[in-house]
Amino acid sequence: GVRIDSGDLPIVAGEVRALLDELGATGTRITVTSDLDEYAIAALAASPVDSYGVGTSVVTGSGAPTAGLVFKLVARAAADGSWVAVAKASAQKASHGGRKAAFRTLDGGTATSELIVVSDGFEELATAAEHPDARPLQVPLVV
């Protein structure tokens, strides 16, 4: 099977189906996800989609405010215990692999923006030494 979760879903699903059929994989199923609700599914009715991944809307229903959160693997432990960044190879992915550290920049005590940096290890997440005009938004819960 193939899962599609980004882009213009009806167009991408059609392109994927055409490619699969061209390769002789006519039995390969296509699943689409990406904050689907009943309206998005209805818009995909004419698309070559076999199944839908619906999460948030099943829990909250349409029209209810939700926090759009996604878990993504950004690093893995190597055999020697060091961290290795994990990133998608897709050209459309703008983010960089690796653990992220989040900071809130301050100007005279007033928050002005959020700063996300790629960090190479656990230590950077606990310190703002490299960003003196910011406070860390992540703190160790258990050490």
Side-chain angles (χ1 to χ4, degrees):
V2 175
R3 175 180 169 232
I4 303 168
D5 73 342
S6 60
D8 189 337
L9 296 177
I11 291 172
V12 174
E15 291 171 347
V16 168
R17 177 80 274 153
L19 181 59
L20 289 168
D21 291 349
E22 180 183 320
L23 294 170
T26 57
T28 302
R29 297 175 57 88
I30 297 175
T31 299
V32 294
T33 61
S34 184
D35 285 332
L36 300 179
D37 59 16
E38 64 270 30
Y39 304 108
I41 292 171
L44 287 161
S47 299
V49 174
D50 300 295
S51 60
Y52 306 91
V54 181
T56 304
S57 291
V58 169
V59 176
T60 63
S62 291
T66 60
L69 304 174
V70 176
F71 172 82
K72 294 199 181 223
L73 180 66
V74 296
R76 64 173 176 78
D80 66 0
S82 64
W83 288 98
V84 178
V86 175
K88 299 263 179 142
S90 173
Q92 289 83 13
K93 295 292 181 183
S95 62
H96 301 282
R99 288 177 53 95
K100 309 299 188 289
F103 299 90
R104 182 156 291 142
T105 60
L106 305 170
D107 182 9
T110 301
T112 56
S113 66
E114 278 71 40
L115 172 66
I116 308 296
V117 298
V118 176
S119 63
D120 292 327
F122 289 103
E123 298 78 22
E124 186 174 346
L125 295 176
T127 179
E130 293 182 41
H131 308 283
D133 295 328
R135 68 176 176 90
L137 295 178
Q138 297 160 286
V139 296
L141 179 61
V142 177
V143 177

